[in-house]
Amino acid sequence: MSILEALLVGLDEARRHLGQTLLSLLGLVLGTGSIVTVLALFGGQTKQTEAFIIEQGGFGAIIVYDREESLQPTPMELASRRLTYRDAAYLKDHATMLKGVAPGYFDRHGYRVGDMDFEGDVIGTTSDYAMINAIFPMAGRYISDLDVRRQARVMVLGWAYADSLFKGRPELALDKIVNLGGKNYTVVGVMEREEFYWAPWSGNALAHRNRRAYIPITTAFSQYTGENDRLDFLTLKAITPTGGPAAEAQVHQMMLSMHGVEDFDIQPLGQRNADDAQFFLMFNIIFLIVGLISLFAGGVVIANILLASVAERVREFGTRMALGASGFQVFAQVIAQVSVISIFGGLLGLGLGAALTGAVAHFMSQPAAVTGSMAAVALGTSLAVGAVAGFYPAFRAARLSPVEALRYG
Amino acid sequence: MALLEARDITKIYRLGRVDVPALRGVDLDVQQGEYVAILGPSGSGKSTLMHILGCLDSATDGSYRLGGTDVGTLRGRALARVRNRKVGFVFQTFNLMPRLTVEENVALPLQYRGGYTRRERRGRAGVVLERLGMSHRVGHRPEELSGGERQRVAIARALVGEPAILLVDDPTGNLDSKAGAEVLETFREVHAAGNTIVLVTHDPNVADEADRIVHMIDGRVAA
């Protein structure tokens, strides 16, 4: 018997035992459907995490921090000047794997315009910061190299600060004076509003980027730190989006030779902020477990039904053997029957999964789609469950002694 | 040379620790075209002998040649092949597949033989059913047939593969006397067409149909 013929026989068997077939199908359909849904949601989540990373400067953006001091620092650690502006300057001149270097000062100061005042974040940095973090001014310009060289008293406002300081008219901030920590600055730019939502009900994951102002890092040092050039962070960008790891390795090696001790941590920028995705991952894992349990239950049901069906049909198998069926052909007959059920179960499950995915994507506004590889995984799983469940009953049928089988019942 | 040559066939069943001999050295020759009845009471070993002659079971000892092939040494798949090509079985209880049509039932041995398209199988089944006067029943299911008709379908199934020998197990045991007589008439016709038949029965009247009667008792051929 060819495979096609075996499947046709299997289809016939499945049709003739419709009740058994439907019961077996149910388990497979639920299991496969659930797995397809999880894979699709998971795929959607991965895409969204990617989108989030790109929104924040894309792949290849790197951030360097001071590592926390040891409880009992070694002399080398104590001697190190930690992360400084000089590190940034050195990397800018010598690191061949980087296309951007932006040293960072971070602190909180009082903001004041007229009768409006509050305390908020300030970032002191250089022109590369905008490129590295993929942020753009909606009016005016960002910090320039000239601002940095001249220690200019200029400021670029984040959208939310411009909005609150200038009463809902952020575009009016340009060329106005803002008092920051007791010093006056001229506003030369207002940044675009940045937003990213993991789901409609979750808040803006990038809101913090709108609540800050940028000033030249040299100005920050001269106005607030008393010429101390210690950095709070250092952001970098690799020359290509995929060049992150290579750039990290080069930076690591150069920093180590400058500091003489590993008192810094290097991380991809996107990864640091993608933790929100973990929450969704947990949901997906729960779904996946439910799917696997359904499939397992489906498999047990199939095995059980097939065993009963084999026991019921012992005489039939004996007759078939008397007519010339080999043990293998009897085995193939049972396996063909379960294969047909598995294929149908897989396909129906795929349909259910696609429908569920569509519903979830629609009602929870989650990006999710069933791809070819997911379909292949789902069908493969269904077939595998069927094969495992069908193997023992098929083996039992094939091992029957024709004489005893004919006497049976 | 005889079509069927069984020499000193012994079959011992092991029940727990006890050996139960079912056949104690049976010799049997059947010639091409012969109609032989094996007659004996239940427990005489006639069914065991039929199973061995039909390659459903193998002898514990002795040699068995069917159509010149030593089948006593064959096992598993090879034995299934011999059953399929050289033996046609007719059972007391018909053993038709209840969910298959008459035509599908008759074509079944050809399906296991392979090499035939569905169309060819149906064609050959149709020819045999026609020969046995059952062509008006091709699309019916066994449950829609009378006992005698079912047995004739079973005979058609046994003949469809043109086997060397027809092995028949008490074919009238489940039939009333009229249907039984019709079935026996069918065997006479089949035999007249040149087929070799070995029929097992405990009914002397049925055995009388055959050219030759082999009496069995206690696992031996009675002299």
Side-chain angles (χ1 to χ4, degrees):
Chain A
M1 272 199 299
S2 67
I3 290 177
L4 181 68
E5 198 170 346
L7 285 180
L8 281 175
V9 171
L11 183 62
D12 205 41
E13 288 292 324
R15 187 172 59 77
R16 291 175 204 277
H17 302 85
L18 197 61
Q20 298 176 356
T21 303
L22 289 180
L23 272 179
S24 312
L25 271 177
L26 195 63
L28 281 177
V29 169
L30 290 179
T32 317
S34 162
I35 283 180
V36 168
T37 311
V38 172
L39 288 177
L41 288 177
F42 194 76
Q45 218 59 70
T46 309
K47 258 195 204 139
Q48 208 173 12
T49 305
E50 258 179 52
F52 186 57
I53 289 174
I54 287 166
E55 185 64 39
Q56 293 182 93
F59 293 92
I62 299 162
I63 189 155
V64 185
Y65 285 99
D66 275 330
R67 182 173 287 182
E68 270 198 53
E69 281 175 47
S70 318
L71 286 174
Q72 285 155 325
T74 61
M76 284 291 271
E77 269 184 83
L78 290 170
S80 168
R81 298 189 56 231
R82 315 284 285 173
L83 205 53
T84 62
Y85 190 59
R86 286 209 332 206
D87 291 329
Y90 185 81
L91 288 177
K92 177 119 181 141
D93 291 342
H94 296 97
T96 52
M97 306 294 239
L98 298 176
K99 71 170 175 187
V101 175
Y105 155 93
F106 178 86
D107 207 345
R108 286 178 72 78
H109 292 293
Y111 286 80
R112 185 162 54 80
V113 174
D115 57 354
M116 180 75 183
D117 67 282
F118 57 81
E119 197 183 80
D121 293 348
V122 184
I123 284 179
T125 187
T126 61
S127 60
D128 278 359
Y129 188 92
M131 182 269 289
I132 292 170
N133 289 278
I135 55 176
F136 308 94
M138 61 168 247
R141 60 172 178 88
Y142 195 67
I143 308 278
S144 71
D145 289 340
L146 195 63
D147 295 332
V148 173
R149 222 173 309 141
R150 287 182 173 169
Q151 303 180 17
R153 295 266 281 267
V154 295
M155 166 187 284
V156 178
L157 280 173
W159 182 87
Y161 281 7
D163 189 61
S164 23
L165 288 170
F166 295 94
K167 319 242 173 352
R169 305 282 303 276
E171 68 280 4
L172 294 182
L174 270 192
D175 301 326
K176 299 285 188 328
I177 302 295
V178 172
N179 188 286
L180 179 67
K183 326 269 175 167
N184 286 336
Y185 289 78
T186 307
V187 176
V188 294
V190 177
M191 302 307 287
E192 274 179 356
R193 182 167 195 266
E194 291 205 55
E195 49 190 353
F196 188 90
Y197 301 92
W198 290 101
W201 64 84
S202 65
N204 182 0
L206 292 177
H208 60 283
R209 285 189 162 197
N210 297 320
R211 292 196 289 266
R212 59 167 63 146
Y214 303 92
I215 57 175
I217 187 160
T218 46
T219 313
F221 289 148
S222 62
Q223 300 299 321
Y224 306 110
T225 68
E227 304 296 329
N228 177 354
D229 73 342
R230 282 278 294 274
L231 299 180
D232 293 296
F233 62 86
L234 174 59
T235 52
L236 311 168
K237 188 138 190 178
I239 42 177
T240 61
T242 53
E248 283 175 47
Q250 189 186 39
V251 170
H252 181 267
Q253 187 248 319
M254 292 174 99
M255 296 273 298
L256 196 58
S257 69
M258 283 186 286
H259 290 205
V261 59
E262 191 168 342
D263 57 355
F264 52 86
D265 287 311
I266 304 176
Q267 279 182 330
L269 187 60
Q271 185 192 322
R272 217 186 134 72
N273 296 312
D275 290 348
D276 295 19
Q278 297 299 318
F279 171 72
F280 291 96
L281 189 64
M282 190 183 73
F283 266 126
N284 289 336
I285 286 171
I286 291 171
F287 256 104
L288 198 64
I289 290 171
V290 170
L292 287 175
I293 291 174
S294 311
L295 264 186
F296 180 76
V300 171
V301 169
I302 292 181
N304 213 343
I305 285 174
L306 277 178
L307 272 179
S309 141
V310 165
E312 210 174 78
R313 292 156 67 197
V314 165
R315 257 177 92 97
E316 177 196 320
F317 291 125
T319 306
R320 286 178 186 273
M321 284 171 166
L323 299 180
S326 63
F328 177 76
Q329 283 170 321
V330 168
F331 181 86
Q333 184 191 343
V334 178
I335 285 292
Q337 186 183 348
V338 74
S339 300
V340 167
I341 295 174
S342 307
I343 291 169
F344 273 99
L347 286 175
L348 288 175
L350 196 58
L352 177 74
L356 265 178
T357 302
V360 170
H362 179 73
F363 290 111
M364 296 172 75
S365 300
Q366 289 296 298
V370 179
T371 65
S373 57
M374 291 172 198
V377 167
L379 276 180
T381 315
S382 177
L383 271 176
V385 167
V388 169
F391 187 85
Y392 179 62
F395 184 72
R396 284 253 305 238
R399 285 291 302 271
L400 288 170
S401 138
V403 173
E404 280 165 34
L406 280 170
R407 274 200 204 117
Y408 188 89
Chain B
M1 194 176 65
L3 174 68
L4 179 159
E5 272 179 24
R7 289 284 172 279
D8 200 22
I9 298 286
T10 306
K11 180 70 183 180
I12 297 167
Y13 289 111
R14 238 205 145 97
L15 292 178
R17 295 180 168 202
V18 194
D19 286 346
V20 182
L23 295 176
R24 309 164 187 248
V26 171
D27 291 325
L28 181 69
D29 282 3
V30 175
Q31 302 298 325
Q32 170 76 47
E34 216 180 350
Y35 188 172
V36 178
I38 297 173
L39 178 65
S42 66
S44 60
K46 59 184 192 309
S47 291
T48 304
L49 180 62
M50 196 195 77
H51 290 147
I52 291 171
L53 297 181
C55 299
L56 284 171
D57 206 352
S58 35
T60 312
D61 212 348
S63 80
Y64 173 37
R65 298 176 74 84
L66 179 60
T69 316
D70 183 0
V71 293
T73 54
L74 301 178
R75 294 285 181 277
R77 205 165 187 166
L79 214 51
R81 221 176 130 83
V82 173
R83 284 200 294 272
N84 185 252
R85 289 170 184 268
K86 299 202 169 176
V87 183
F89 280 99
V90 178
F91 302 96
Q92 181 186 343
T93 49
F94 324 130
N95 293 22
L96 299 173
M97 304 293 144
R99 299 188 193 85
L100 300 185
T101 64
V102 162
E103 187 177 66
E104 288 167 338
N105 263 290
V106 173
L108 205 51
L110 299 179
Q111 189 179 327
Y112 289 124
R113 188 172 298 185
Y116 294 96
T117 63
R118 187 172 272 244
R119 200 192 175 89
E120 286 167 343
R121 293 199 299 259
R122 291 177 60 160
R124 289 189 58 157
V127 169
V128 183
L129 284 166
E130 167 97 59
R131 231 177 90 194
L132 297 187
M134 290 294 296
S135 42
H136 61 298
R137 291 295 209 180
V138 283
H140 289 76
R141 300 202 188 265
E143 61 184 9
E144 295 161 352
L145 307 182
S146 71
E149 286 177 319
R150 287 183 208 185
Q151 195 57 300
R152 264 186 285 162
V153 171
I155 294 168
R157 181 177 67 183
L159 287 171
V160 76
E162 294 173 353
I165 189 162
L166 218 55
L167 285 176
V168 185
D169 185 9
D170 198 9
T172 58
N174 269 19
L175 300 175
D176 60 39
S177 55
K178 182 169 174 287
E182 282 168 12
V183 163
L184 289 177
E185 172 60 30
T186 304
F187 280 116
R188 265 200 296 278
E189 289 163 17
V190 168
H191 174 233
N195 290 286
T196 311
I197 302 177
V198 174
L199 182 150
V200 174
T201 184
H202 57 84
D203 183 346
N205 296 325
V206 173
D208 276 343
E209 291 283 320
D211 303 339
R212 175 159 69 98
I213 299 178
V214 175
H215 293 271
M216 279 202 72
I217 190 152
D218 294 336
R220 287 197 179 86
V221 174

